[in-house]
Every structure is written in structure tokens, then in C-alpha cells.
Amino acid sequence: IANLLGGDAVDGLVATFRDVTEQRNLERQLSHRAYHDELTGLANRRALDRALLREWRRLQRSGTGFAVLAMDLDHFKDVNDRFGHPAGDQMLVQVAARLRRAAREVDLIARVGGEEFIVLVNVSSAQGAQIAAERLRVAVAAAPYALKDGLAPITISIGIALATQEDPAIADILERADQALYRAKREGRNRVCLEMDRSTDLHAARL
């Protein structure tokens, strides 16, 4: 509100209002796009990196561990070749929806490539990570996907790495998760594999 008369006596007031709702909505949309995958609505690589750094700092400070699940759809190229890329995108959207339903609210699911996903799981034990990963695997393969030109099944392979205070960097955890994923692929796909050292430890504990 401003006095436009220039003197001490105020004979009138002019009030100027500006509706910023549209601007704020635009800002929210831009912020959402910055941290979410455009196709699936899942977190993107930027959001994943931010969450990993947060959990990494918490691990170094308090010792609270976490797990990284590296996931890749099996034979997804066959879906694109048979049904076309739009159908492949349709399947990715449906896969994302199943992952959301199967994951816990505290876990972060990110799409980091064409058919590649990473899940950041707030668990500190190998058993807890395996339970979470198996729940996701079962959800993805539970039923065929309804695409425009027919039904198509899909499965997913998952590799697990547990973060510890001994890890020198976040990249080392991601690398171990990738190696476990490659092993899941080699051993037949549609399975969950824990990083080798942890698998050995679990086997020794059972003995």
C-alpha cells in the first residue's frame, strides 16, 4: 500500500496485489522435475546421489547402516523389439508402480538408466536387505504386464551391497552392488544376489 500524494495528508490509498500462485506452482513443478524421472515419476540420479550422501554422512556419524539394491529388468530389449519402444515405456511405468507398492515409504527408488533401478534401503543387516529385495523381485514378476498389443511378462535381477563405516567412498558400495547384480544375471536372472563377502559370511554363520 503506497501514499501517492506526496504529502502528510492522505486523501487516498492505492493498493497493489500480485497473485504469485502460478509462479509458485511453476517453481514446484521445476523442483519436482529436477529430482524425479520424467517417465516413471521415480527419483532420478540427482535425487539418489543426494540421498546417498545423506545416508553416508549419517553412517559415518552414528554407524547406522544402509543397503543399496542395484536392479535391472531381464531381457527388456526383447520387449522393445517385440512390442516397440512406446510399449517398453508403458511397461517401465507399470514396473515403477509395482516397486512403489512393494517398497517401504522410507526406502528410495530411483530409475538410473533405461531399465536400471537403484533402491536405497534403510536396513543394517544382510537378512533385512535380502527380505526387502525379494519382496521387490516378487512384485515385479507377479503377473504379466498389460501393454497395448498384448500381455508381456518380465522379471528383475537384483544385487545387494551393505554400506559400512569401513567403505572408503560411496562409489565402492555402488560398485559392489553392481558386481552382485552381474552375478545374479550370470546365475540365471530373476534372482537376488548378495555381495560375495556378505554371502560368505552368511554361509559361515549358518554352519
Side-chain angles (χ1 to χ4, degrees):
I1 299 175
N3 176 10
L4 300 182
L5 301 179
D8 294 333
V10 178
D11 293 333
L13 295 174
V14 176
T16 303
F17 298 94
R18 184 162 61 98
D19 186 355
V20 297
T21 302
E22 184 176 346
Q23 179 180 343
R24 288 177 177 173
N25 287 339
L26 178 59
E27 289 172 353
R28 281 194 291 267
Q29 291 174 12
L30 292 175
S31 177
H32 184 272
R33 291 175 184 174
Y35 292 100
H36 291 81
D37 175 60
E38 185 175 356
L39 176 65
T40 63
L42 297 175
N44 60 14
R45 171 65 77 170
R46 177 184 292 183
L48 174 66
D49 289 343
R50 185 170 66 169
L52 280 169
L53 181 58
R54 182 185 65 244
E55 293 303 315
W56 172 259
R57 288 173 174 169
R58 187 163 70 117
L59 170 63
Q60 300 306 315
R61 184 175 62 252
S62 64
T64 303
F66 62 91
V68 170
L69 314 183
M71 312 192 303
D72 190 86
L73 294 177
D74 300 321
H75 301 298
F76 182 71
K77 182 177 181 298
D78 294 345
V79 175
N80 281 332
D81 290 345
R82 179 182 175 187
F83 295 97
H85 288 278
D89 287 348
Q90 188 180 7
M91 175 176 280
L92 288 171
V93 171
Q94 295 180 41
V95 167
R98 292 192 190 187
L99 291 174
R100 281 196 200 93
R101 288 194 295 269
R104 304 173 307 170
E105 288 187 9
V106 296
D107 300 331
L108 181 135
I109 312 168
R111 180 181 177 223
V112 295
E115 66 271 28
E116 300 171 6
F117 304 85
I118 289 179
V119 181
L120 181 58
V121 183
N122 286 305
V123 297
S124 56
S125 70
Q127 183 179 19
Q130 287 180 304
I131 290 172
E134 186 63 19
R135 186 167 59 242
L136 296 172
R137 186 197 67 79
V138 170
V140 169
Y145 291 79
L147 307 180
K148 182 179 178 180
D149 295 322
L151 296 175
I154 200 75
T155 58
I156 197 165
S157 299
I158 305 176
I160 304 173
L162 290 174
T164 70
Q165 289 179 307
E166 288 71 38
D167 286 312
I170 295 173
D172 294 273
I173 307 166
L174 294 172
E175 175 63 23
R176 296 204 313 274
D178 279 340
Q179 291 301 319
L181 170 60
Y182 297 150
R183 186 157 56 88
K185 293 284 191 181
R186 290 195 304 270
E187 293 180 4
R189 297 180 169 85
N190 189 27
R191 66 189 62 227
V192 173
C193 280
L194 189 64
E195 56 183 316
M196 287 299 293
D197 289 345
R198 301 290 176 182
S199 297
T200 303
D201 292 344
L202 282 177
H203 180 69
R206 293 191 186 101
L207 295 178

